[in-house]
Amino acid sequence: MIRVVYKVWLDRGGKAFGDGPYDLLKGIEQTGSLHQAAGKMGMSYSKAWRLIQTMEKRLGFILIERKIGGPSGGGSQITSKARTFMRRYEKFRAEVKELTERAYQKHFGSLRR
Amino acid sequence: MIRVVYKVWLDRGGKAFGDGPYDLLKGIEQTGSLHQAAGKMGMSYSKAWRLIQTMEKRLGFILIERKIGGPSGGGSQITSKARTFMRRYEKFRAEVKELTERAYQKHFGSLRR
């Protein structure tokens, strides 16, 4: 069966945000650690760190900050601005998915298999 | 300024149709020649021919047919089914463009530069 596929991302002189960066931030949000979040994605720590820095530069705000001390001895956490941005991105992505599917059904829904 | 970028295509066990194939068919529609249409895109004739064959297989219908004789001594023309499909794709693509922009404005419109 023919299906529609799409990729969507934000750009500012290069990729500024998309599904990969989102997944990395989500991992940091869940684990409290850039190291663990990168590992879950099969990405090296240094690559993940460079990705964060590139995104911060292009988006124009800080995404993660160090979490000092505590029982776990520190780690990383996402900033409140990053959290707000992620929630917007989730809604944006869900809407694009739904609208693209709907447009596909509207224009190609009658396609035979 | 941050902007939204997207790519959309149709898939059926691999890319079945998208902007590249559309441009190639459009070129054939305009020039009456697969050779000329491929040349305009900087694509070799053999690559363009393989692309057409792959798309036909995945879409399940014939896209171009030989035009025999006439003042120009033959060439290629798109089938009526391909023409209908192209018109649908144009509408689909325009709609996805508009909806994606609108969703971006809705969710990220307040982003500072």
Side-chain angles (χ1 to χ4, degrees):
Chain A
M1 189 175 171
I2 297 174
R3 65 193 180 100
V4 63
V5 185
Y6 68 94
K7 285 183 193 295
V8 65
W9 65 94
L10 307 186
D11 180 284
R12 188 188 188 185
K15 196 174 276 193
F17 202 79
D19 284 355
Y22 171 82
D23 290 344
L24 182 61
L25 288 184
K26 186 78 189 167
I28 298 167
E29 190 177 36
Q30 290 170 338
T31 64
S33 159
L34 175 57
H35 190 84
Q36 281 186 52
K40 274 173 64 173
M41 293 176 72
M43 193 185 280
S44 71
Y45 178 84
S46 62
K47 190 178 172 182
W49 180 232
R50 282 196 306 273
L51 180 60
I52 295 281
Q53 288 180 304
T54 301
M55 286 190 296
E56 286 180 340
K57 197 173 151 193
R58 290 182 180 153
L59 291 174
F61 58 88
I62 298 297
L63 292 167
I64 68 173
E65 56 197 359
R66 289 184 60 204
K67 200 171 59 188
I68 297 169
S72 61
S76 297
Q77 62 188 8
I78 63 170
T79 61
S80 66
K81 202 150 184 183
R83 189 168 288 111
T84 302
F85 191 81
M86 286 170 71
R87 299 296 92 84
R88 286 181 181 202
Y89 183 76
E90 286 160 7
K91 286 178 194 154
F92 167 71
R93 187 169 60 171
E95 190 162 318
V96 168
K97 182 181 167 68
E98 190 194 325
L99 295 174
T100 304
E101 267 302 331
R102 206 187 297 164
Y104 175 68
Q105 288 304 327
K106 176 175 164 188
H107 295 288
F108 292 107
S110 60
L111 270 190
R112 291 196 194 82
R113 285 166 187 236
Chain B
M1 189 176 171
I2 298 174
R3 66 194 179 101
V4 63
V5 185
Y6 69 94
K7 285 184 193 293
V8 64
W9 65 94
L10 306 186
D11 180 283
R12 189 188 188 183
K15 196 173 276 193
F17 202 78
D19 283 356
Y22 171 82
D23 290 344
L24 182 60
L25 288 185
K26 187 79 188 166
I28 298 167
E29 190 177 36
Q30 290 170 338
T31 64
S33 159
L34 174 58
H35 190 84
Q36 281 186 52
K40 274 173 65 174
M41 292 176 72
M43 193 185 279
S44 71
Y45 178 84
S46 62
K47 190 178 171 182
W49 179 233
R50 281 196 306 274
L51 179 60
I52 294 282
Q53 288 181 304
T54 301
M55 287 191 295
E56 286 180 341
K57 196 173 151 195
R58 291 182 179 153
L59 292 174
F61 57 87
I62 298 297
L63 291 168
I64 68 173
E65 56 197 358
R66 290 184 60 204
K67 200 171 57 188
I68 298 169
S72 61
S76 297
Q77 63 188 8
I78 63 170
T79 62
S80 66
K81 203 150 184 184
R83 187 168 290 111
T84 302
F85 191 81
M86 286 170 71
R87 298 297 92 84
R88 286 182 182 202
Y89 183 76
E90 286 161 7
K91 285 178 195 156
F92 167 71
R93 186 169 61 172
E95 190 162 318
V96 168
K97 182 182 167 67
E98 191 194 325
L99 295 174
T100 303
E101 267 302 332
R102 206 188 297 165
Y104 175 68
Q105 288 303 328
K106 176 176 164 187
H107 295 288
F108 293 108
S110 61
L111 271 190
R112 292 196 193 82
R113 284 162 188 241

